Structures are given as structure tokens and as C-alpha cells.
Coordinates of all heavy atoms in Angstrom, one line a residue:
M128 N 44.6 0.3 54.1 CA 43.7 0.5 52.9 C 43.5 -0.8 52.2 O 44.3 -1.5 51.7 CB 44.2 1.5 52.0 CG 43.3 2.2 51.1 SD 44.1 3.5 50.3 CE 42.9 3.8 48.9
S129 N 42.3 -1.4 52.3 CA 42.0 -2.6 51.6 C 41.9 -2.5 50.1 O 41.6 -1.4 49.6 CB 40.6 -3.1 52.1 OG 39.5 -2.3 51.7
K130 N 42.1 -3.5 49.5 CA 42.1 -3.5 48.0 C 40.7 -3.2 47.5 O 39.8 -3.9 47.9 CB 42.6 -4.9 47.6 CG 43.9 -4.9 46.8 CD 44.1 -6.3 46.1 CE 45.5 -6.5 45.7 NZ 45.7 -7.9 45.2
A131 N 40.6 -2.3 46.5 CA 39.4 -2.1 46.0 C 39.1 -3.3 45.1 O 39.8 -4.2 44.9 CB 39.4 -0.8 45.1
S132 N 37.8 -3.4 44.5 CA 37.5 -4.5 43.7 C 38.5 -4.7 42.6 O 39.0 -3.8 41.9 CB 36.1 -4.2 43.0 OG 36.1 -2.9 42.5
E133 N 38.9 -6.1 42.5 CA 40.1 -6.3 41.6 C 39.6 -6.3 40.2 O 38.5 -6.7 39.8 CB 40.7 -7.7 42.1 CG 41.4 -7.6 43.3 CD 42.1 -8.9 43.7 OE1 42.2 -9.7 42.9 OE2 42.3 -9.1 44.8
Y134 N 40.5 -5.9 39.3 CA 40.2 -6.1 37.9 C 40.8 -7.4 37.4 O 41.9 -7.9 37.9 CB 40.9 -4.9 37.2 CG 40.2 -3.6 37.5 CD1 40.7 -2.8 38.5 CD2 39.1 -3.2 36.8 CE1 40.1 -1.5 38.8 CE2 38.5 -2.0 37.0 CZ 38.9 -1.2 38.0 OH 38.4 0.0 38.3
I135 N 40.3 -7.9 36.3 CA 40.9 -9.0 35.6 C 42.2 -8.6 35.0 O 42.4 -7.3 34.8 CB 40.0 -9.6 34.6 CG1 39.5 -8.7 33.6 CG2 38.7 -10.2 35.3 CD1 38.7 -9.3 32.4
T136 N 43.0 -9.4 34.5 CA 44.3 -9.1 34.0 C 44.2 -8.9 32.5 O 43.2 -9.3 31.9 CB 45.3 -10.2 34.3 OG1 45.0 -11.4 33.6 CG2 45.5 -10.4 35.8
C137 N 45.2 -8.3 31.9 CA 45.2 -8.0 30.4 C 45.1 -9.4 29.7 O 44.5 -9.6 28.7 CB 46.4 -7.4 30.0 SG 46.4 -5.6 30.5
E138 N 45.8 -10.4 30.3 CA 45.9 -11.7 29.7 C 44.4 -12.4 29.7 O 44.0 -13.1 28.7 CB 46.7 -12.8 30.5 CG 48.2 -12.6 30.1 CD 49.1 -13.5 31.0 OE1 48.6 -14.4 31.6 OE2 50.3 -13.4 30.8
E139 N 43.6 -12.2 30.8 CA 42.3 -12.6 30.8 C 41.4 -11.9 29.7 O 40.5 -12.6 29.2 CB 41.7 -12.5 32.2 CG 42.2 -13.5 33.2 CD 41.8 -13.3 34.5 OE1 42.1 -12.2 35.1 OE2 41.2 -14.2 35.2
V140 N 41.7 -10.6 29.6 CA 40.9 -10.0 28.6 C 41.1 -10.5 27.3 O 40.2 -10.8 26.5 CB 41.3 -8.5 28.6 CG1 40.9 -7.7 27.3 CG2 40.8 -7.7 29.8
I141 N 42.3 -10.9 26.9 CA 42.6 -11.5 25.6 C 42.0 -12.9 25.5 O 41.5 -13.3 24.5 CB 44.2 -11.5 25.4 CG1 44.6 -10.0 25.1 CG2 44.5 -12.4 24.2 CD1 46.1 -9.8 25.4
T142 N 42.1 -13.5 26.7 CA 41.4 -14.9 26.6 C 39.9 -14.7 26.4 O 39.3 -15.5 25.7 CB 41.6 -15.6 28.0 OG1 43.1 -15.6 28.3 CG2 41.0 -16.9 28.0
F143 N 39.3 -13.8 26.9 CA 37.9 -13.6 26.8 C 37.4 -12.9 25.6 O 36.2 -12.9 25.2 CB 37.3 -12.7 28.0 CG 37.4 -13.2 29.4 CD1 37.2 -12.5 30.5 CD2 37.5 -14.6 29.5 CE1 37.3 -12.9 31.8 CE2 37.5 -15.1 30.9 CZ 37.4 -14.3 31.9
L144 N 38.4 -12.4 24.9 CA 38.0 -11.6 23.7 C 37.2 -12.3 22.6 O 36.1 -11.7 22.3 CB 39.3 -11.1 23.0 CG 39.2 -10.2 21.8 CD1 38.3 -8.9 22.2 CD2 40.6 -9.7 21.4
L145 N 37.5 -13.5 22.2 CA 36.8 -14.1 21.2 C 35.3 -14.3 21.7 O 34.3 -14.1 21.0 CB 37.4 -15.4 20.9 CG 38.5 -15.4 20.0 CD1 39.1 -16.8 19.7 CD2 37.9 -14.8 18.6
G146 N 35.1 -14.8 23.0 CA 33.8 -14.9 23.6 C 33.0 -13.7 23.6 O 31.8 -13.6 23.3
Y147 N 33.8 -12.6 24.0 CA 33.1 -11.3 24.0 C 32.6 -10.9 22.7 O 31.4 -10.4 22.5 CB 34.1 -10.3 24.6 CG 33.6 -8.8 24.6 CD1 32.7 -8.5 25.6 CD2 33.8 -8.0 23.7 CE1 32.1 -7.2 25.8 CE2 33.3 -6.6 23.8 CZ 32.4 -6.4 24.8 OH 32.0 -5.0 24.9
L148 N 33.4 -11.0 21.6 CA 33.0 -10.6 20.3 C 31.9 -11.4 19.7 O 31.1 -10.9 18.9 CB 34.2 -10.6 19.3 CG 35.4 -9.6 19.7 CD1 36.6 -9.8 18.8 CD2 34.9 -8.2 19.5
S149 N 31.9 -12.6 20.1 CA 30.7 -13.5 19.6 C 29.5 -13.5 20.6 O 28.6 -14.3 20.4 CB 31.3 -14.9 19.4 OG 31.9 -15.4 20.5
G150 N 29.6 -12.7 21.7 CA 28.5 -12.7 22.6 C 28.3 -13.9 23.4 O 27.2 -14.1 24.0
E151 N 29.3 -14.6 23.7 CA 29.2 -15.9 24.4 C 29.7 -15.8 25.9 O 29.6 -16.7 26.6 CB 30.1 -17.0 23.7 CG 29.4 -17.5 22.5 CD 30.3 -18.4 21.6 OE1 31.4 -18.6 22.1 OE2 30.0 -18.7 20.5
L152 N 30.1 -14.6 26.4 CA 30.4 -14.4 27.6 C 29.3 -14.4 28.6 O 28.3 -13.9 28.2 CB 31.3 -13.1 27.8 CG 32.7 -13.1 27.3 CD1 33.4 -11.9 27.7 CD2 33.5 -14.3 27.8
S153 N 29.5 -14.9 29.8 CA 28.4 -14.7 30.8 C 28.3 -13.3 31.2 O 29.3 -12.4 31.0 CB 28.7 -15.6 32.1 OG 29.9 -15.0 32.7
P154 N 27.2 -12.7 31.7 CA 27.1 -11.3 31.9 C 28.2 -10.9 33.0 O 28.6 -9.7 32.9 CB 25.7 -11.2 32.6 CG 24.9 -12.3 32.0 CD 25.9 -13.5 31.8
E155 N 28.5 -11.7 33.9 CA 29.5 -11.4 34.9 C 30.8 -11.2 34.2 O 31.6 -10.2 34.5 CB 29.7 -12.5 36.0 CG 28.5 -12.7 36.9 CD 27.4 -13.5 36.1 OE1 27.7 -14.2 35.2 OE2 26.3 -13.5 36.7
K156 N 31.2 -12.2 33.3 CA 32.5 -12.0 32.6 C 32.5 -10.8 31.8 O 33.5 -10.1 31.7 CB 32.6 -13.2 31.8 CG 33.0 -14.5 32.5 CD 34.5 -14.8 32.5 CE 35.0 -15.9 33.4 NZ 34.3 -17.2 33.1
E157 N 31.4 -10.6 31.1 CA 31.3 -9.4 30.2 C 31.5 -8.1 30.9 O 32.1 -7.1 30.5 CB 29.9 -9.4 29.5 CG 29.9 -8.5 28.3 CD 28.7 -8.7 27.4 OE1 28.3 -9.8 27.1 OE2 28.0 -7.7 27.3
H158 N 30.9 -8.0 32.1 CA 31.0 -7.0 32.9 C 32.5 -6.7 33.4 O 33.0 -5.6 33.3 CB 30.1 -7.2 34.2 CG 30.2 -6.0 35.2 ND1 29.7 -4.8 35.0 CD2 30.8 -5.9 36.4 CE1 29.9 -3.9 36.0 NE2 30.7 -4.6 36.9
E159 N 33.1 -7.8 33.8 CA 34.6 -7.7 34.1 C 35.4 -7.2 33.1 O 36.3 -6.4 33.1 CB 35.1 -9.0 34.8 CG 34.5 -9.4 36.1 CD 34.8 -8.3 37.1 OE1 36.0 -7.9 37.3 OE2 33.8 -8.0 37.8
F160 N 35.1 -7.7 31.9 CA 35.8 -7.5 30.6 C 35.7 -6.0 30.4 O 36.7 -5.3 30.2 CB 35.1 -8.2 29.6 CG 35.8 -8.1 28.2 CD1 36.8 -9.1 27.8 CD2 35.5 -7.1 27.3 CE1 37.4 -9.0 26.6 CE2 36.1 -7.0 26.0 CZ 37.1 -8.0 25.7
E161 N 34.5 -5.5 30.4 CA 34.2 -3.9 30.2 C 34.9 -3.1 31.2 O 35.4 -2.0 31.1 CB 32.8 -3.7 30.0 CG 32.3 -4.3 28.6 CD 30.8 -4.2 28.4 OE1 30.1 -4.0 29.4 OE2 30.4 -4.5 27.3
R162 N 34.8 -3.6 32.5 CA 35.5 -2.8 33.6 C 36.9 -2.7 33.3 O 37.5 -1.7 33.6 CB 35.1 -3.6 34.9 CG 35.0 -2.7 36.1 CD 34.2 -3.3 37.2 NE 34.9 -4.5 37.7 CZ 35.8 -4.5 38.7 NH1 36.0 -3.3 39.3 NH2 36.4 -5.5 39.1
H163 N 37.5 -3.8 32.9 CA 39.0 -3.7 32.6 C 39.3 -2.6 31.5 O 40.2 -1.8 31.6 CB 39.5 -5.1 32.3 CG 41.0 -5.0 31.9 ND1 42.0 -5.5 32.8 CD2 41.7 -4.7 30.8 CE1 43.2 -5.4 32.2 NE2 43.0 -4.9 31.0
L164 N 38.4 -2.7 30.5 CA 38.6 -1.9 29.3 C 38.5 -0.3 29.7 O 39.2 0.6 29.2 CB 37.6 -2.1 28.1 CG 37.7 -3.4 27.6 CD1 36.8 -3.5 26.4 CD2 39.2 -3.7 27.0
S165 N 37.7 -0.2 30.8 CA 37.5 1.2 31.2 C 38.8 1.9 31.8 O 38.9 3.0 32.0 CB 36.3 1.4 32.1 OG 36.6 0.7 33.4
V166 N 39.7 0.9 32.3 CA 40.9 1.4 33.0 C 42.1 1.1 32.2 O 43.2 1.4 32.6 CB 41.0 0.9 34.4 CG1 39.8 1.4 35.3 CG2 41.1 -0.6 34.4
C167 N 42.1 0.4 31.0 CA 43.2 -0.1 30.3 C 43.2 0.2 28.8 O 42.7 -0.5 28.0 CB 43.3 -1.6 30.4 SG 44.8 -2.3 29.9
P168 N 43.7 1.5 28.5 CA 43.7 2.0 27.1 C 44.4 1.0 26.2 O 44.1 0.9 25.0 CB 44.5 3.2 27.2 CG 44.4 3.7 28.6 CD 44.4 2.4 29.4
S169 N 45.5 0.2 26.8 CA 46.2 -0.6 25.8 C 45.4 -1.7 25.4 O 45.5 -2.2 24.2 CB 47.5 -1.1 26.5 OG 47.3 -1.9 27.5
C170 N 44.5 -2.4 26.2 CA 43.6 -3.5 25.7 C 42.6 -2.8 24.8 O 42.2 -3.4 23.9 CB 42.9 -4.1 27.0 SG 44.0 -5.3 27.7
V171 N 42.0 -1.6 25.0 CA 41.1 -1.0 24.1 C 41.8 -0.9 22.8 O 41.1 -1.2 21.7 CB 40.7 0.4 24.7 CG1 39.8 1.1 23.6 CG2 40.0 0.3 25.9
A172 N 43.0 -0.5 22.7 CA 43.6 -0.3 21.4 C 43.9 -1.7 20.8 O 43.8 -1.8 19.5 CB 45.0 0.4 21.6
Y173 N 44.2 -2.6 21.6 CA 44.5 -4.0 21.0 C 43.2 -4.5 20.4 O 43.3 -5.1 19.3 CB 44.9 -4.9 22.2 CG 45.0 -6.3 21.8 CD1 46.2 -6.8 21.3 CD2 44.0 -7.3 22.0 CE1 46.3 -8.1 20.8 CE2 44.1 -8.5 21.5 CZ 45.2 -9.0 21.0 OH 45.4 -10.4 20.6
I174 N 42.0 -4.3 21.1 CA 40.8 -4.9 20.6 C 40.4 -4.1 19.3 O 39.9 -4.8 18.3 CB 39.7 -4.8 21.7 CG1 40.0 -5.7 22.8 CG2 38.4 -5.0 21.1 CD1 39.3 -5.6 24.1
K175 N 40.7 -2.9 19.3 CA 40.4 -2.0 18.1 C 41.1 -2.6 16.9 O 40.5 -2.8 15.8 CB 40.7 -0.6 18.3 CG 40.0 0.4 17.4 CD 40.3 1.8 17.8 CE 40.0 2.8 16.7 NZ 40.5 4.1 17.1
T176 N 42.4 -2.9 17.1 CA 43.2 -3.4 16.0 C 42.8 -4.8 15.6 O 42.7 -5.1 14.5 CB 44.7 -3.5 16.5 OG1 45.1 -2.2 16.9 CG2 45.6 -4.0 15.3
Y177 N 42.4 -5.6 16.6 CA 41.9 -6.9 16.4 C 40.6 -7.0 15.6 O 40.6 -7.6 14.5 CB 41.7 -7.7 17.7 CG 41.2 -9.0 17.7 CD1 42.2 -10.0 17.7 CD2 39.9 -9.3 17.6 CE1 41.9 -11.4 17.6 CE2 39.6 -10.8 17.5 CZ 40.5 -11.7 17.5 OH 40.2 -13.1 17.5
K178 N 39.6 -6.0 15.8 CA 38.5 -6.0 15.1 C 38.8 -5.5 13.6 O 38.2 -6.1 12.7 CB 37.6 -4.9 15.7 CG 36.8 -5.5 16.9 CD 35.8 -4.5 17.5 CE 35.0 -5.0 18.6 NZ 34.3 -3.9 19.2
Q179 N 39.7 -4.6 13.5 CA 40.0 -4.1 12.1 C 40.7 -5.3 11.3 O 40.4 -5.4 10.1 CB 41.0 -2.9 12.2 CG 40.3 -1.7 12.5 CD 41.3 -0.5 12.9 OE1 42.5 -0.7 12.9 NE2 40.8 0.7 12.9
T180 N 41.5 -6.0 12.0 CA 42.1 -7.2 11.3 C 41.0 -8.1 10.8 O 41.1 -8.7 9.7 CB 43.1 -7.9 12.2 OG1 44.0 -7.0 12.7 CG2 43.9 -9.1 11.6
I181 N 40.0 -8.4 11.6 CA 38.9 -9.3 11.2 C 38.2 -8.8 10.0 O 37.9 -9.4 9.0 CB 37.9 -9.5 12.4 CG1 38.6 -10.4 13.5 CG2 36.7 -10.2 11.8 CD1 37.8 -10.4 14.8
E182 N 37.9 -7.4 10.1 CA 37.2 -6.7 8.9 C 38.1 -6.9 7.6 O 37.6 -7.1 6.6 CB 37.0 -5.3 9.3 CG 35.9 -5.1 10.2 CD 34.6 -5.7 9.8 OE1 34.2 -5.5 8.7 OE2 33.9 -6.3 10.7
L183 N 39.4 -6.6 7.8 CA 40.2 -6.7 6.6 C 40.2 -8.2 6.1 O 40.3 -8.3 4.8 CB 41.7 -6.3 7.0 CG 41.9 -4.8 7.2 CD1 43.2 -4.5 7.8 CD2 41.5 -4.0 6.0
G184 N 40.2 -9.1 6.9 CA 40.2 -10.6 6.5 C 38.9 -10.8 5.8 O 38.9 -11.4 4.8
R185 N 37.8 -10.3 6.3 CA 36.5 -10.5 5.6 C 36.5 -9.9 4.3 O 36.0 -10.5 3.2 CB 35.4 -9.9 6.5 CG 34.9 -10.7 7.5 CD 33.5 -10.2 8.1 NE 33.3 -10.7 9.4 CZ 32.8 -10.2 10.5 NH1 32.7 -8.9 10.4 NH2 32.6 -10.8 11.5
Q186 N 37.2 -8.6 4.1 CA 37.2 -7.9 2.9 C 38.0 -8.8 1.9 O 37.6 -8.8 0.8 CB 37.8 -6.5 3.1 CG 38.1 -5.8 1.9 CD 36.8 -5.2 1.3 OE1 35.8 -5.4 1.8 NE2 36.9 -4.5 0.3
A187 N 39.0 -9.3 2.4 CA 40.0 -10.1 1.4 C 39.2 -11.3 0.9 O 39.3 -11.6 -0.2 CB 41.2 -10.5 2.1
L188 N 38.5 -12.0 1.8 CA 37.7 -13.2 1.4 C 36.6 -12.8 0.5 O 36.3 -13.4 -0.6 CB 37.1 -13.8 2.6 CG 38.1 -14.6 3.6 CD1 37.3 -15.1 4.8 CD2 38.7 -15.8 2.8
G189 N 35.9 -11.6 0.8 CA 34.8 -11.1 0.0 C 35.3 -10.8 -1.4 O 34.6 -11.0 -2.4
A190 N 36.5 -10.2 -1.6 CA 36.9 -9.8 -2.8 C 37.1 -11.0 -3.7 O 37.0 -11.1 -5.0 CB 38.3 -9.1 -2.7
G191 N 37.7 -12.1 -3.1 CA 37.8 -13.4 -3.8 C 36.5 -14.0 -4.2 O 36.5 -14.5 -5.4
A192 N 35.5 -13.7 -3.5 CA 34.2 -14.4 -3.8 C 33.4 -13.4 -4.8 O 32.3 -13.7 -5.3 CB 33.3 -14.7 -2.6
A193 N 34.1 -12.1 -5.0 CA 33.3 -11.2 -6.0 C 31.9 -10.9 -5.6 O 31.1 -10.5 -6.4 CB 33.4 -11.7 -7.4
S194 N 31.7 -10.8 -4.3 CA 30.3 -10.5 -3.8 C 30.5 -9.5 -2.7 O 29.6 -9.4 -1.8 CB 29.6 -11.6 -3.4 OG 30.2 -12.3 -2.3
T195 N 31.5 -8.6 -2.7 CA 31.7 -7.7 -1.6 C 30.7 -6.4 -1.7 O 30.6 -5.9 -2.8 CB 33.2 -7.1 -1.7 OG1 34.0 -8.1 -1.9 CG2 33.5 -6.2 -0.5
P196 N 30.0 -6.2 -0.7 CA 29.1 -5.0 -0.7 C 30.0 -3.7 -0.9 O 30.9 -3.5 -0.2 CB 28.6 -4.9 0.8 CG 28.8 -6.3 1.4 CD 30.0 -6.8 0.7
P197 N 29.8 -3.0 -1.9 CA 30.6 -1.8 -2.3 C 30.6 -0.8 -1.2 O 31.7 -0.1 -1.1 CB 29.9 -1.2 -3.6 CG 28.5 -2.0 -3.8 CD 28.6 -3.2 -2.8
D198 N 29.6 -0.6 -0.4 CA 29.6 0.4 0.6 C 30.6 0.1 1.8 O 30.8 0.9 2.7 CB 28.2 0.7 1.2 CG 27.6 -0.5 1.7 OD1 27.9 -1.6 1.3 OD2 26.7 -0.3 2.6
L199 N 31.2 -1.1 1.8 CA 32.0 -1.5 2.9 C 33.5 -1.0 2.6 O 34.2 -0.7 3.6 CB 32.1 -3.0 2.9 CG 32.5 -3.7 4.2 CD1 31.5 -3.4 5.3 CD2 32.8 -5.1 4.1
A200 N 33.7 -0.8 1.4 CA 35.1 -0.4 1.0 C 35.7 0.9 1.6 O 36.7 0.9 2.1 CB 35.4 -0.5 -0.5
P201 N 35.0 2.0 1.5 CA 35.4 3.3 2.0 C 35.8 3.2 3.5 O 36.9 3.7 4.0 CB 34.3 4.3 1.8 CG 33.5 3.6 0.7 CD 33.6 2.2 0.9
E202 N 35.0 2.5 4.3 CA 35.3 2.3 5.7 C 36.6 1.6 5.9 O 37.4 2.0 6.8 CB 34.2 1.5 6.3 CG 33.0 2.2 6.9 CD 32.0 1.4 7.5 OE1 32.4 0.6 8.4 OE2 30.8 1.4 7.1
L203 N 36.9 0.6 5.2 CA 38.1 -0.2 5.4 C 39.3 0.7 4.9 O 40.3 0.6 5.6 CB 38.1 -1.4 4.5 CG 37.2 -2.5 5.1 CD1 36.7 -3.5 4.1 CD2 37.9 -3.2 6.2
V204 N 39.2 1.5 3.9 CA 40.2 2.3 3.4 C 40.5 3.3 4.5 O 41.7 3.5 4.9 CB 39.8 3.1 2.1 CG1 40.9 4.1 1.7 CG2 39.7 2.0 1.0
Q205 N 39.5 3.8 5.2 CA 39.7 4.7 6.2 C 40.4 4.1 7.4 O 41.2 4.7 8.0 CB 38.4 5.3 6.7 CG 38.0 6.6 5.8 CD 36.8 7.3 6.5 OE1 36.1 6.7 7.3 NE2 36.6 8.5 6.1
A206 N 40.0 2.9 7.7 CA 40.6 2.2 8.7 C 42.1 1.9 8.5 O 42.9 2.1 9.4 CB 39.9 0.7 8.9
I207 N 42.4 1.6 7.4 CA 43.8 1.4 7.0 C 44.6 2.7 7.1 O 45.7 2.8 7.6 CB 43.9 0.8 5.6 CG1 43.3 -0.7 5.6 CG2 45.4 0.6 5.1 CD1 43.0 -1.2 4.2
L208 N 44.1 3.7 6.5 CA 44.8 4.9 6.5 C 44.8 5.4 8.0 O 45.9 6.1 8.3 CB 44.0 6.0 5.6 CG 44.0 5.8 4.1 CD1 43.1 6.8 3.4 CD2 45.4 5.8 3.6
G209 N 43.8 5.3 8.7 CA 43.8 5.7 10.1 C 45.0 5.0 10.9 O 45.5 5.6 11.8
R210 N 45.2 3.7 10.6 CA 46.2 3.0 11.4 C 47.7 3.5 11.0 O 48.5 3.4 11.7 CB 46.1 1.5 11.0 CG 45.1 0.9 11.7 CD 44.9 -0.5 11.3 NE 45.9 -1.4 11.8 CZ 46.1 -2.6 11.6 NH1 45.4 -3.3 10.8 NH2 47.2 -3.4 12.2
R211 N 47.7 4.0 9.7 CA 49.0 4.3 9.3 C 49.5 5.8 9.7 O 50.5 6.1 9.8 CB 49.1 4.4 7.7 CG 49.2 3.0 7.3 CD 49.3 2.9 5.8 NE 49.4 1.4 5.3 CZ 49.2 1.0 4.1 NH1 49.0 2.0 3.1 NH2 49.3 -0.2 3.7
S212 N 48.5 6.6 9.9 CA 48.7 8.0 10.2 C 49.1 8.2 11.7 O 48.8 7.4 12.5 CB 47.5 8.9 9.9 OG 46.4 8.6 10.7
Ligands
LIG135 ZN1 44.5 -4.5 29.8

């Protein structure tokens, strides 16, 4: 039985993550990235947490600048509560 099409590794997913989030990956890389996510729940969970961390960071910076869009807050509260439950 020959090896089916190979998946990239979790390490590669993490390496590609910044590029993926900023839309800088090549279409091939992006495809490989998403293909890995379709079979790897732990990377999906990692990316979800990563995105939430970015959002929380933005919120913290926004609060300091006193120009935070008010409608952003409930979502973040839900994200925080969701992680704890
Ligand atoms: Zn993975």
C-alpha cells in the first residue's frame, strides 16, 4: 500500500501560521495548511487560541488608547468565558 498524499507536520503548520493569518502564503502552502487542519484537531484548537490571544492583545492596546469600539467587548468576554468553561 503506497503512502497517500502526505500531510505537512504540525511544526510546519505553526511555521506557516503567521503567513496564513496575514494572507501571505502561496496558494499551494495555504492548501497544505488547510489540508492539515482538516485532519488535526489539535492544530485547529491551537490556532483558535492563538487568534483569541491576538484579539485580547488588541483589546488591551485599544483600552490604553481609549478608542476601543464598544461592540467588540461582548465578543471578547464570551471568548474568555468560553476558554474557561
Ligand atoms: Zn497538527
Side-chain angles (χ1 to χ4, degrees):
M128 203 170 162
S129 68
K130 244 188 199 176
S132 51
E133 288 181 24
Y134 290 95
I135 60 173
T136 65
C137 293
E138 278 182 9
E139 283 175 302
V140 164
I141 290 161
T142 304
F143 291 163
L144 181 56
L145 279 178
Y147 179 77
L148 292 177
S149 56
E151 287 168 2
L152 286 187
S153 66
E155 294 81 18
K156 288 258 171 60
E157 196 173 304
H158 178 72
E159 290 305 309
F160 187 93
E161 287 171 349
R162 212 159 61 90
H163 179 101
L164 293 187
S165 70
V166 296
C167 186
S169 67
C170 276
V171 172
Y173 175 85
I174 290 167
K175 200 173 162 191
T176 304
Y177 186 87
K178 282 181 174 171
Q179 282 173 349
T180 305
I181 292 173
E182 288 301 319
L183 290 173
R185 277 196 195 133
Q186 175 73 1
L188 290 173
S194 60
T195 315
D198 58 334
L199 203 67
E202 269 181 54
L203 283 160
V204 171
Q205 277 195 339
I207 294 163
L208 293 176
R210 287 176 70 183
R211 285 183 183 166
S212 63

